[in-house]
């Protein structure tokens, strides 16, 4: 844990310069706009420890797999999110001395991320080696209105410096990924140009052939007047710069505006890239800083109106949830069905930055409730479009008849994860992808989705389960052997309760979906059936047989579902008895010791109870919660949120609150000492679930919206906004009342604390807490 940031309702604030915190702050203060992202690297040179990161959505590199022991079925590559051309660079030289915070005396350092407006600010005073000082103030944003454009305003005020400042604005494509498997650079040169105040660099990824053009234009103003300057412009391989000189006296203020655009062949033909870049730069320069920023901040205000959560009486909790919502909205906008949400978003290299089950299991509920349905639909279409690859993937592993296994990690539908116990065994991801179809339809009511896309995917996944599950003569039951559940702290287990549960649910739901499509759209059903050679009666008979006779491990004495067969053979130690000095166990214990222990990395059996809560009575939920919470070390960021939802359900509000704080401030307070690598973007959606589903009790059952808010003791009140079937409701819970305000013209029935009510169009409803 590293708590060095100030608490505030809307801002993340760092005060004082501590070199140790630079890489952590680079992650925490990252900005993005769905199309690209940028770590909070300094614009000026910095020779201290830093992780440079500029990322462009959809552009990845297939880094050749590196494993100790190759296993058949491993993919050839791991797709990496790419550190792309550095567009922020400004080299500032004061009478021969390069401004570098590693080499000067820094005072009054302050960094601020204004989450309300999406603006990153920084200020400091630097005492140069020459003894004179300058004060610097910077502002930077990535426009969410013009999402190819990034803007920097960099002001330098001379305190007592007299002399020239050499200003070089540059674009540098000679960058590398720190996580490169073979220490290679991933970009090849295409072209460079530098003319007057404009620099343009085009580079191409090796193997994947993505071409990215990055252009920048610089303007220099002095004491409020734009200067007409001569630029000394130059290029070298993958690099272009525009350099100029300004004379400064004490009290003078120089403002540098840098407008940059990143345009890629992901969206444009290669031959157009430079022209599109120039046109974007024209647009940015003619709107200029203030207009660009006004439009950007207004768009952010709108996003906040739709997705904000307020918490009264607890600033740390308030800041935590807003940080999570901010980062989610920075990472994914739903503009492009080819894009997805990497576990680190645009804030670091780890995890490859591509797609995991995290999207469906954690992120989808957030986007369903806070954005128009088309946004979450894009996430589903992404998987639908990769169905052929998922079928190919399953075929490679020996499955047949159109069975699909979606990848554990992917950039384009191909599996690129390469640890056998995860790649081949963590197959529960297929369940999350099927559940997302159900979740989307139950939330939006868009059953057409089932007809046009959903059913085909569901059948392919059910085909996979029906082949992966086998019959055990010994126990006269169907079993699923050799899997890894969400709990990665044990592998190759038999009958993981969660995986068995979601597999059977999936086959049942597929059969329901078949009935629906067959009845509503018989013509379309026949076409699909022909396309995939579906032997309806035979295949469904097998699915039904499995569903009716599947083995689910349980311990009747304790009244709990069992994580897996023989889980109780493990030595049963509780987390509370683990010395603090041994935690997190993944940093202190050998892997072998972890695998043999009873400790659970993340919600697993409880993940199943969370998804299918309506099937279990409250005592069953409580017994399982108490048993597993005491054995769960929450060493995945995805874990605490599920426990919050269930803890609130069983009225263990203290536990719910403690776990909520952990999930919501995971990165701000760096609970796991790893924030420097990037933020936990996907688990941030889990934090949202903790408030809305946990404390707010929001559920969707049988087409109806349920709410049953509970208030943590620490809070005076809280509110959240949810979109459901055309209505947008703002729900506010205080110690006395719950008020539901309908912001739309569409009235909505809701079930609040178990009682049916109607929230009139544009009306509101108040009930007692
Ligand atoms: C978790 C996985 C998750 C991955 C990416 C791992 O630590 O165990 O469930 O998909 O991180 O977030």
């Amino acid at each position: 844990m590293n708590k060095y940031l100030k608490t505030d309702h809307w801002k993340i604030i760092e005060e004082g310069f501590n070199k140790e915190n630079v890489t952590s702050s680079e992650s925490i203060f990252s900005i993005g706009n769905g199309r690209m992202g940028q770590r909070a690297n300094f614009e000026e040179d910095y020779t201290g420890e830093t992780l440079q990161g500029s990322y462009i959505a959809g552009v990845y590199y297939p880094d050749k797999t590196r494993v100790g022991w190759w296993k058949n079925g491993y993919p050839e590559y791991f797709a990496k999110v790419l550190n792309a051309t550095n567009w922020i660079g400004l080299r500032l030289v004061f009478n021969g001395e390069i401004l570098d915070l590693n080499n000067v005396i820094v005072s009054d350092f302050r960094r601020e991320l204004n989450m309300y407006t999406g603006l990153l600010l920084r200020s400091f005073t630097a005492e140069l080696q020459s003894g004179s000082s300058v004060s610097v103030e910077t502002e930077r944003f990535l426009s969410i209105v013009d999402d190819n454009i990034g803007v920097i305003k960099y002001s330098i005020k001379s305190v007592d410096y007299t002399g020239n400042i050499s200003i070089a604005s540059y674009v540098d494509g000679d960058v590398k990924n720190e996580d490169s498997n073979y220490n290679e650079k991933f970009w090849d040169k295409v072209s460079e140009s530098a003319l007057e105040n404009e620099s343009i660099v085009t580079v191409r990824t090796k193997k994947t052939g993505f071409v990215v053009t990055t252009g920048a234009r610089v303007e220099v103003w002095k004491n409020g007047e734009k200067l007409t300057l001569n630029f000394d412009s130059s290029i070298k391989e993958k690099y272009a710069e525009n350099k100029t000189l300004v004379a400064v006296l004490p009290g003078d203020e120089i403002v540098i505006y840098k407008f940059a655009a990143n345009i890629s062949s992901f969206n444009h033909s290669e031959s157009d890239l430079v022209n599109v870049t120039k046109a974007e730069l024209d647009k940015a320069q003619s709107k200029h800083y203030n207009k660009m920023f006004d439009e950007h901040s207004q768009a952010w205000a709108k996003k906040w109106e739709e997705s904000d959560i307020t918490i009264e009486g607890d600033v740390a909790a308030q800041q935590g949830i807003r940080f999570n919502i901010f980062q989610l909205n920075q990472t994914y906008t739903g503009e492009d069905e080819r894009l997805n949400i990497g576990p680190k978003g645009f804030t670091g290299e780890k995890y490859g930055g591509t797609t995991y089950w995290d999207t469906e299991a954690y992120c989808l509920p957030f986007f369903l409730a806070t954005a128009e349905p088309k946004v979450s639909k894009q996430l589903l279409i992404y998987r639908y479009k990769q169905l052929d690859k998922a079928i190919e993937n399953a075929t490679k592993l020996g499955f047949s008849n159109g069975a699909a296994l979606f990848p554990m990690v992917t950039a384009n539908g191909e599996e690129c994860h390469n640890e056998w116990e995860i790649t081949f065994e963590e197959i529960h991801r297929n369940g999350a992808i099927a559940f997302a179809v159900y979740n989307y339809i139950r939330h939006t009511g868009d059953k057409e989705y089932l007809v046009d896309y959903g059913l085909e995917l569901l059948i392919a996944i059910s085909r996979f389960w029906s082949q992966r599950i086998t019959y055990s003569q010994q126990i006269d039951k169907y079993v699923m052997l050799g899997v890894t559940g969400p709990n990665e702290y044990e592998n190759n287990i038999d009958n993981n309760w969660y995986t068995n549960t979601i597999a059977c649910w999936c086959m049942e739901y597929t059969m329901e979906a078949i009935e629906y499509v067959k009845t509503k759209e018989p013509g379309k059903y026949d076409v699909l059936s022909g396309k995939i050679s579906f032997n309806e009666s035979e295949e469904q008979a097998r699915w039904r047989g499995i569903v009716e006779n599947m083995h689910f491990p349980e311990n009747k004495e304790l009244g709990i579902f069992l994580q897996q067969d023989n889980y109780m053979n493990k030595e049963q130690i509780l987390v509370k008895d683990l010395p603090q000095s041994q935690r997190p166990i993944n940093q202190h214990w050998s892997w072998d010791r972890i695998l043999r222990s009873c400790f659970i990395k993340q919600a697993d059996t409880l993940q199943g109870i969370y998804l299918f809560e309506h099937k279990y009575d409250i005592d069953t939920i409580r017994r399982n919660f108490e048993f597993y919470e005491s054995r769960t070390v929450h060493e995945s960021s995805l874990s605490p949120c599920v426990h919050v939802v269930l803890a609130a359900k069983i009225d263990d509000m203290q536990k719910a609150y403690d776990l909520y704080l952990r999930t919501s401030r995971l990165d701000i307070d760096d609970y796991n000492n790893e924030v420097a690598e990037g933020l936990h973007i996907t688990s941030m959606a889990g934090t949202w679930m903790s408030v809305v589903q946990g404390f707010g009790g929001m559920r969707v059952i049988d087409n109806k919206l349920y709410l049953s808010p509970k208030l943590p003791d620490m809070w005076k009140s809280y509110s959240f906004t949810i979109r459901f079937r055309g209505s947008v409701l703002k729900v506010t819970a205080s110690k006395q009342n719950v008020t539901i305000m309908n912001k739309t013209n569409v009235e909505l029935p809701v079930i609040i604390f178990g009682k049916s009510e109607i929230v009139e169009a544009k009306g509101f409803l108040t009930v007692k807490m």
Side-chain angles (χ1 to χ4, degrees):
M1 189 144 173
N2 182 14
K3 234 170 151 22
Y4 64 94
L5 301 167
K6 303 262 163 305
T7 40
D8 183 273
H9 288 89
W10 276 109
K11 295 171 181 167
I12 306 292
I13 301 166
E14 176 183 6
E15 277 174 358
F17 184 59
N18 180 349
K19 291 180 190 173
E20 308 261 291
N21 291 334
V22 168
T23 47
S24 302
S25 289
E26 283 174 349
S27 299
I28 295 170
F29 290 82
S30 289
I31 50 174
N33 65 6
R35 184 69 66 198
M36 55 183 165
Q38 174 65 49
R39 282 172 64 84
N41 308 122
F42 300 152
E43 287 85 358
E44 72 279 356
D45 284 41
Y46 184 65
T47 50
E49 200 192 334
T50 168
L51 173 65
Q52 291 291 309
S54 173
Y55 309 104
I56 296 173
V59 176
Y60 66 92
Y61 178 77
D63 203 10
K64 191 167 168 335
T65 302
R66 185 165 200 152
V67 286
W69 185 7
W70 186 267
K71 307 225 169 20
N72 272 351
Y74 273 176
E76 296 293 321
Y77 71 89
F78 189 80
K80 301 221 156 128
V81 66
L82 269 187
N83 184 21
T85 300
N86 170 0
W87 59 271
I88 61 171
L90 291 173
R91 178 157 308 115
L92 303 167
V93 186
F94 295 79
N95 289 340
E97 181 185 344
I98 296 180
L99 177 64
D100 171 354
L101 295 203
N102 199 31
N103 290 330
V104 294
I105 300 170
V106 183
S107 56
D108 298 331
F109 182 91
R110 188 171 194 280
R111 183 159 19 194
E112 175 185 309
L113 181 62
N114 185 325
M115 298 185 282
Y116 189 70
T117 58
L119 183 68
L120 172 65
L121 302 107
R122 184 167 60 108
S123 54
F124 59 88
T125 298
E127 185 186 323
L128 302 165
Q129 284 166 7
S130 63
S132 43
S133 298
V134 290
S135 298
V136 172
E137 282 182 20
T138 71
E139 295 180 13
R140 190 201 294 176
F141 62 92
L142 284 176
S143 171
I144 56 168
V145 177
D146 297 302
D147 62 6
N148 295 315
I149 298 176
V151 184
I152 294 169
K153 180 178 176 189
Y154 196 103
S155 319
I156 308 164
K157 200 165 184 173
S158 163
V159 179
D160 54 6
Y161 174 79
T162 303
N164 288 330
I165 308 178
S166 154
I167 300 167
S169 162
Y170 63 89
V171 170
D172 184 4
D174 191 23
V175 292
K176 62 178 177 43
N177 264 51
E178 297 233 328
D179 68 352
S180 164
N181 281 346
Y182 297 89
N183 210 16
E184 287 172 284
K185 288 192 175 161
F186 299 153
W187 296 97
D188 280 333
K189 155 202 167 83
V190 176
S191 64
E192 306 85 12
S193 73
L195 195 63
E196 294 173 7
N197 68 338
E198 178 191 275
S199 281
I200 297 185
V201 169
T202 302
V203 282
R204 184 194 311 273
T205 54
K206 291 181 177 148
K207 296 188 196 166
T208 29
F210 289 110
V211 184
V212 176
T213 298
T214 302
R217 286 195 197 143
V218 62
E219 285 178 10
V220 182
W221 295 52
K222 184 173 171 184
N223 301 330
E225 304 262 324
K226 186 174 170 187
L227 301 179
T228 309
L229 294 164
N230 288 325
F231 285 89
D232 174 12
S233 296
S234 62
I235 56 170
K236 58 186 181 187
E237 189 169 293
K238 299 189 236 175
Y239 179 95
E241 76 170 27
N242 318 105
K243 191 156 68 177
T244 191
L245 211 59
V246 207
V248 175
L249 293 172
D252 280 347
E253 188 184 29
I254 303 298
V255 178
I256 305 163
Y257 290 102
K258 184 167 182 179
F259 301 95
N262 283 303
I263 309 292
S264 85
S265 60
F266 195 67
N267 297 307
H268 299 272
S269 71
E270 193 180 329
S271 55
D272 286 345
L273 293 178
V274 170
N275 284 342
V276 177
T277 303
K278 284 176 184 265
E280 290 289 292
L281 292 175
D282 286 344
K283 180 165 73 184
Q285 264 192 305
S286 70
K287 284 191 185 178
H288 219 268
Y289 187 89
N290 289 344
K291 181 152 196 268
M292 292 273 308
F293 179 65
D294 283 352
E295 290 177 358
H296 168 75
S297 54
Q298 277 162 26
W300 265 110
K302 186 154 181 294
K303 277 197 190 282
W304 282 113
E305 198 158 303
E306 288 169 356
S307 57
D308 192 20
I309 289 181
T310 64
I311 296 174
E312 216 197 337
D314 188 345
V315 189
Q318 173 69 82
Q319 185 185 39
I321 189 66
R322 284 204 170 122
F323 183 64
N324 289 264
I325 294 170
F326 177 70
Q327 292 296 347
L328 285 164
N329 282 329
Q330 291 207 108
T331 308
Y332 188 72
T333 57
E335 294 289 321
D336 189 329
E337 69 188 30
R338 298 164 302 166
L339 300 180
N340 210 281
I341 307 159
K344 299 266 169 221
F346 298 118
T347 67
E349 297 173 3
K350 202 176 166 201
Y351 289 115
T354 38
T355 312
Y356 287 62
W357 74 303
D358 305 28
T359 295
E360 286 78 12
Y362 297 88
C363 302
L364 185 72
F366 169 80
F367 289 104
L368 276 172
T370 62
E372 288 186 36
K374 63 178 188 204
V375 171
S376 31
K377 187 171 175 183
Q378 295 281 53
L379 289 172
L380 270 69
I381 296 282
Y382 174 92
R383 293 291 193 178
Y384 175 77
K385 292 250 161 112
Q386 296 181 352
L387 179 56
D388 288 347
K389 291 252 166 69
I391 294 173
E392 245 175 64
N393 183 35
T395 311
K396 268 191 216 153
L397 302 184
F399 296 87
S400 57
N401 188 33
L405 175 60
F406 280 90
M408 184 67 198
V409 181
T410 193
N412 64 0
E414 285 165 17
E415 177 64 88
C416 61
H417 193 278
N418 51 43
E419 284 168 290
W420 64 270
E421 61 275 26
I422 293 178
T423 313
F424 307 143
E425 298 206 331
E426 223 178 302
I427 50 180
H428 63 80
R429 58 195 187 245
N430 249 9
I433 292 163
F435 193 85
V437 173
Y438 164 75
N439 210 2
Y440 167 78
I441 293 170
R442 81 171 159 177
H443 197 104
T444 60
D446 175 12
K447 279 199 142 190
E448 277 306 292
Y449 186 81
L450 212 47
V451 179
D452 295 331
Y453 308 97
L455 183 59
E456 188 177 347
L457 177 132
L458 291 171
I459 292 178
I461 293 181
S462 287
R463 282 172 158 174
F464 171 82
W465 293 126
S466 87
Q467 293 171 43
R468 187 62 170 73
I469 290 167
T470 49
Y471 173 70
S472 159
Q473 269 189 337
Q474 178 154 319
I475 59 169
D476 184 25
K477 289 267 178 197
Y478 285 96
V479 291
M480 192 167 0
L481 308 179
V483 303
T484 299
N487 168 33
E488 292 172 343
Y489 284 179
E490 206 185 345
N491 314 132
N492 207 33
I493 56 172
D494 294 339
N495 295 306
N496 170 250
W497 186 84
Y498 171 75
T499 311
N500 285 10
T501 299
I502 199 141
C504 286
W505 167 84
C506 177
M507 287 181 277
E508 279 183 290
Y509 179 56
T510 306
M511 290 188 278
E512 249 176 60
I514 289 171
E515 250 349 272
Y516 176 82
V517 176
K518 221 161 97 175
T519 318
K520 288 275 174 203
E521 297 275 1
K524 287 193 178 173
Y525 177 74
D526 288 345
V527 172
L528 174 64
S529 197
K531 174 180 164 194
I532 61 172
S533 309
F534 186 45
N535 187 335
E536 188 189 314
S537 55
E538 206 178 282
E539 296 194 48
Q540 290 209 79
R542 163 114 184 140
W543 301 349
R544 208 165 288 117
I546 294 174
V547 168
E548 284 166 7
N549 196 25
M550 187 75 193
H551 166 57
F552 291 99
E554 60 180 318
N555 183 308
K556 292 215 165 89
E557 244 167 65
L558 297 173
I560 55 162
F561 306 118
L562 269 193
Q563 168 79 19
Q564 68 217 36
D565 283 352
N566 300 321
Y567 177 75
M568 293 310 286
N569 286 351
K570 290 175 167 244
E571 192 181 3
Q572 298 293 320
I573 311 170
L574 304 185
V575 175
K576 72 173 173 44
D577 298 326
L578 267 176
Q580 206 47 44
S581 58
Q582 294 184 24
R583 298 191 62 189
I585 57 172
N586 67 16
Q587 287 172 17
H588 293 90
W589 286 12
S590 71
W591 190 240
D592 155 70
R593 188 173 174 196
I594 291 176
L595 293 179
R596 284 184 288 108
S597 81
C598 72
F599 294 117
I600 294 172
K601 180 183 179 189
Q602 68 196 91
D604 191 313
T605 304
L606 295 185
Q607 183 92 19
I609 294 181
Y610 157 72
L611 290 182
F612 305 110
E613 182 198 89
H614 58 282
K615 290 190 179 173
Y616 311 109
D617 61 51
I618 197 81
D619 289 337
T620 306
I621 297 176
R622 182 174 293 111
R623 278 194 306 274
N624 279 280
F625 180 82
E626 285 168 358
F627 183 84
Y628 286 109
E629 163 57 19
S630 58
R631 288 160 176 80
T632 303
V633 285
H634 296 297
E635 288 176 15
S636 161
S637 62
L638 300 174
S639 187
C641 56
V642 171
H643 286 231
V644 175
V645 177
L646 293 180
K649 171 88 188 167
I650 61 169
D651 274 327
D652 188 346
M653 290 300 280
Q654 189 56 46
K655 179 62 99 190
Y657 178 74
D658 292 346
L659 287 170
Y660 163 76
L661 267 198
R662 180 181 172 137
T663 165
S664 78
R665 297 190 58 89
L666 177 76
D667 289 322
I668 301 179
D669 293 339
D670 198 7
Y671 272 82
N672 294 344
N673 297 326
E674 56 176 19
V675 76
E677 294 171 349
L679 304 175
H680 297 85
I681 298 294
T682 48
S683 88
M684 292 184 173
T687 307
W688 177 91
M689 274 160 40
S690 303
V691 179
V692 176
Q693 300 178 354
F695 302 133
M698 178 220 167
R699 303 286 188 276
V700 179
I701 306 169
D702 291 338
N703 291 311
K704 291 198 196 82
L705 183 68
Y706 283 66
L707 294 162
S708 50
K710 294 175 181 175
L711 192 73
D713 283 346
M714 288 280 292
W715 298 358
K716 282 198 195 126
S717 73
Y718 64 101
S719 74
F720 55 87
T721 299
I722 39 177
R723 180 181 283 275
F724 184 73
R725 309 269 171 122
S727 298
V728 178
L729 304 181
K730 179 166 180 193
V731 182
T732 307
S734 67
K735 289 203 177 354
Q736 296 76 33
N737 298 318
V738 178
T739 305
I740 308 176
M741 188 171 87
N742 188 343
K743 295 172 149 188
T744 47
N745 277 324
V746 188
E747 69 165 36
L748 190 78
V750 292
I751 309 217
I752 173 126
F753 296 126
K755 193 163 167 249
S756 294
E757 301 278 2
I758 303 271
V759 198
E760 307 284 343
K762 293 275 177 195
F764 65 89
L765 174 81
T766 301
V767 293
K768 288 229 160 327
M769 260 302 246

